């Protein structure tokens, strides 16, 4: 989501000004800006997207393992190592 009234956070300025009322005011404005964006986040939508991606990843991993198993049955020197399909030397 893009906000046409985008307001930048105060970042580098906070380290150069003394810890006075102005510093606290700038810090509070930062939290107000962040809160507006947090309020726009739809947690249910994010959870659904995460669940969908997790399911797709599981399907992909299952399919990859099935392919490796089939190839191994035909004596193709292949296996999964650290989540990657790799060639192996004959006899290993």
């Amino acid at each position: 989501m893009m906000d046409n009234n985008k307001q930048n956070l105060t970042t580098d300025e906070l380290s150069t000004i003394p810890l006075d009322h102005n510093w606290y005011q700038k810090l509070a404005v930062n939290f107000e800006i962040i809160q507006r964006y947090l309020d726009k986040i739809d947690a249910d939508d994010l959870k659904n997207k995460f669940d969908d991606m997790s399911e797709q990843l599981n399907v992909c991993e299952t399919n990859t393992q099935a392919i490796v198993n089939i190839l191994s049955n035909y004596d193709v020197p292949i296996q999964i190592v650290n989540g990657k399909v790799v060639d192996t030397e004959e006899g290993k």
Side-chain angles (χ1 to χ4, degrees):
M1 283 180 222
M2 294 303 289
D3 188 354
N4 292 337
N5 299 323
K6 183 179 177 186
Q7 193 174 1
N8 291 329
L9 296 175
T10 303
T11 55
D12 294 340
E13 294 174 39
L14 289 176
S15 64
T16 61
I17 56 178
L19 299 178
D20 59 6
H21 180 71
N22 187 34
W23 185 88
Y24 290 108
Q25 204 168 21
K26 287 180 183 258
L27 189 60
V29 168
N30 279 354
F31 284 109
E32 291 170 5
I33 294 168
I34 293 168
Q35 186 63 54
R36 284 197 301 265
Y37 286 96
L38 288 175
D39 290 342
K40 292 179 183 181
I41 293 174
D42 182 350
D44 290 332
D45 183 48
L46 285 178
K47 182 184 179 323
N48 290 337
K49 287 179 181 177
F50 177 79
D51 290 344
D52 290 345
M53 289 187 327
S54 294
E55 184 177 331
Q56 290 173 6
L57 179 61
N58 288 336
V59 168
C60 182
E61 288 173 348
T62 301
N63 289 343
T64 301
Q65 184 63 55
I67 291 168
V68 167
N69 291 343
I70 290 168
L71 292 173
S72 294
N73 290 340
Y74 288 97
D75 295 327
V76 175
I78 193 170
Q79 65 181 356
I80 297 177
V81 177
N82 294 329
K84 296 179 182 177
V85 177
V86 296
D87 291 330
T88 60
E89 294 180 25
E90 290 286 336
K92 282 195 173 184

